[in-house]
Amino acid sequence: MTTPDARPVTTADDGAGAALADAIGEASLRATQARSEQIEAQIAKDPSEFRMLTGDRPTGDLHLGHYFGTLANRVRLQNLGVETLVLIADYQVITDRDGVGPIEERVLSLLADYLAMGIDPVRTTIFCHSAIPELNQLMLPFLSLVTEAELHRNPTVKSELEATGGRAMSGLLLTYPVHQAADILFCKANLVPVGKDQLPHVEQSRLIARRFEERYGRAHSDRPVFPAPDALLSAGVAVLGTDGHKMSKSRGNTIDLGMSADETARRIKRAVTDANRHITYDPVDRPEVSNLVLLAALLTERDPVAIAHEIGDGGGKQLKAVVTEAINSFLAPTRARRAELLADPGYLRGVLADGNARAREIAVATLDEVLTAMHMTYV
Ligand code: TRP
């Protein structure tokens, strides 16, 4: 199977990220960035010191925004030899919506996206919340370690609440950072590659780990039950959608990993450009055109300025032809693989069953340690 080369690239920024950065604090963001660089250097030296946990909500098909934002980086870390767990966060789907939707189809489709893009189910444990009761049970002691006021202050929860258009906050939305701490801590992950928007969750997990230790620390051991996880600020690129806004399903501006070549061509044909026929790479003043150039550059591993220069007076039409060709040839092998995988749901279910069994073994051991530390082992 051919997998696209995953490589680290520099972090681009968007407006939402900047607003959240303000909420998190410039100084702590810079500190996390510096720490991320140290960690990258350590990974290069000895990847076996790390266990990484990441995940996604199964709410729809993955697109190029996900790929360049996070997935390529996960594949890179996996291939460097970092022990990797990937969570299909199915319980998190119901934090801010009323139902689970066509959940089974979405879980299998997300899994097919992962495998097609290079997550290796032999080396990497892929699992879902609903199959790991011991992970979910950690929510109880963990909830006792945070205050309601802290939960209300979480900037990620606040911005997600705003995005739901004024609907009332569910108890699960308010407390999902604690559930996410259980995701991270159940397997004692010390590495959580995230975007800026998820940093408060990692901070929440560190706090819970520390407070658990303060309250229940094991007298017989100087090793804490939960090591403090580090955020790894993703070496990802924010690519925009075809309308120049954040790539997101609800805007209809995505290029999905599993789209057909024709659908891709149609989406790119409708992509927003601007009145200047001469193509340049100028992300600040020409965000839409530059985003298309950037996409072509990332997909062909070339310099965006050189690509823009080549197109020059060829205009939007030629730019779109170049981007469409770049996307379709980059994704052709993985789309074929994805289709094969989806045609074999038995195989996909087997992969998930394996991953669930592996994750569950870890969760059982951790819950046992937790209950022992809490002296709740009378039977
Ligand atoms: N909250 C993440 C998202 O919406 C998904 C997620 C769930 C996650 N649990 C996690 C990410 C643990 C990192 C670690 O994308």
Side-chain angles (χ1 to χ4, degrees):
M1 180 183 111
T2 332
T3 47
D5 222 2
R7 68 204 168 94
V9 269
T10 46
T11 305
D13 211 335
D14 60 30
L20 205 71
D22 288 348
I24 297 163
E26 255 325 304
S28 93
L29 188 62
R30 265 201 305 277
T32 309
Q33 249 145 8
R35 175 95 185 106
S36 293
E37 278 164 38
Q38 277 175 4
I39 293 171
E40 284 285 354
Q42 256 172 289
I43 292 172
K45 255 192 268 159
D46 184 9
S48 72
E49 284 174 31
F50 297 95
R51 177 178 272 181
M52 158 171 110
L53 180 287
T54 65
D56 298 287
R57 303 175 190 199
T59 51
D61 293 337
L62 295 187
H63 50 63
L64 284 177
H66 295 119
Y67 181 70
F68 287 115
T70 56
L71 189 49
N73 193 43
R74 291 180 198 170
V75 173
R76 178 182 69 91
L77 291 164
Q78 166 200 270
N79 292 347
L80 282 173
V82 175
E83 186 189 353
T84 304
L85 291 98
V86 178
L87 166 63
I88 297 181
D90 52 0
Y91 267 133
Q92 219 177 79
V93 169
I94 48 172
T95 50
D96 60 359
R97 57 182 78 197
D98 286 334
V100 290
I103 189 76
E104 180 175 352
E105 191 187 316
R106 285 180 176 166
V107 166
L108 294 182
S109 166
L110 179 57
L111 181 56
D113 278 334
Y114 286 158
L115 301 183
M117 299 314 282
I119 299 283
D120 169 8
V122 177
R123 281 181 289 171
T124 292
T125 299
I126 310 171
F127 67 104
C128 54
H129 277 141
S130 57
I132 321 290
E134 296 78 9
L135 180 164
N136 296 312
Q137 189 172 332
L138 291 177
M139 186 88 172
L140 281 165
F142 286 4
L143 275 171
S144 76
L145 297 169
V146 299
T147 67
E148 185 218 349
E150 279 169 348
L151 292 169
H152 279 287
R153 279 199 300 270
N154 184 303
T156 303
V157 169
K158 276 195 201 164
S159 66
E160 282 180 32
L161 185 62
E162 277 160 27
T164 61
R167 66 177 285 165
M169 172 148 61
S170 75
L172 189 61
L173 178 57
L174 180 64
T175 55
Y176 99 85
V178 180
H179 194 218
Q180 192 152 325
D183 298 342
I184 294 167
L185 296 178
F186 96 91
C187 63
K188 306 189 182 190
N190 56 2
L191 203 57
V192 189
V194 286
K196 287 188 207 101
D197 66 316
Q198 298 281 305
L199 282 177
H201 295 332
V202 180
E203 201 43 49
Q204 181 73 79
S205 307
R206 295 171 66 88
L207 201 60
I208 289 174
R210 195 163 66 232
R211 287 182 183 161
F212 186 87
E213 212 47 38
E214 283 162 10
R215 210 169 278 184
Y216 305 108
R218 301 179 286 199
H220 66 280
S221 168
D222 50 11
R223 220 167 26 87
V225 176
F226 298 110
D230 267 306
L232 184 67
L233 275 176
S234 305
V237 184
V239 298
L240 304 175
T242 50
D243 58 356
H245 292 276
K246 188 178 165 148
M247 199 181 272
S248 114
K249 191 186 176 66
S250 59
R251 298 190 66 99
N253 66 358
T254 63
I255 303 293
D256 297 354
L257 300 178
M259 251 177 195
S260 72
D262 284 350
E263 277 173 287
T264 303
R266 279 199 297 276
R267 273 263 155 114
I268 295 295
K269 202 166 197 172
R270 290 204 320 263
V272 178
T273 52
D274 58 33
N276 184 351
R277 188 178 157 77
H278 187 77
I279 299 303
T280 53
Y281 182 62
D282 181 357
V284 174
D285 289 325
R286 305 184 68 186
E288 299 92 352
V289 162
S290 300
N291 181 58
L292 293 175
V293 174
L294 176 65
L295 263 177
L298 290 168
L299 293 160
T300 55
E301 300 198 18
R302 294 190 57 210
D303 174 28
V305 177
I307 292 184
H309 185 74
E310 266 168 36
I311 298 170
D313 287 330
K317 192 161 178 219
Q318 195 182 329
L319 171 60
K320 289 180 179 182
V322 167
V323 177
T324 302
E325 162 60 22
I327 297 171
N328 285 342
S329 49
F330 179 85
L331 290 178
T334 59
R335 283 170 169 168
R337 176 73 182 134
R338 189 179 184 281
E340 255 172 52
L341 288 162
L342 285 174
D344 191 355
Y347 171 77
L348 290 174
R349 278 180 225 287
V351 166
L352 196 54
D354 272 2
N356 285 339
R358 262 142 61 185
R360 184 136 194 231
E361 210 173 291
I362 298 172
V364 167
T366 301
L367 181 63
D368 188 56
E369 276 183 70
V370 164
L371 293 177
T372 303
M374 295 176 78
H375 303 287
M376 287 180 160
T377 50
Y378 0 87
V379 282

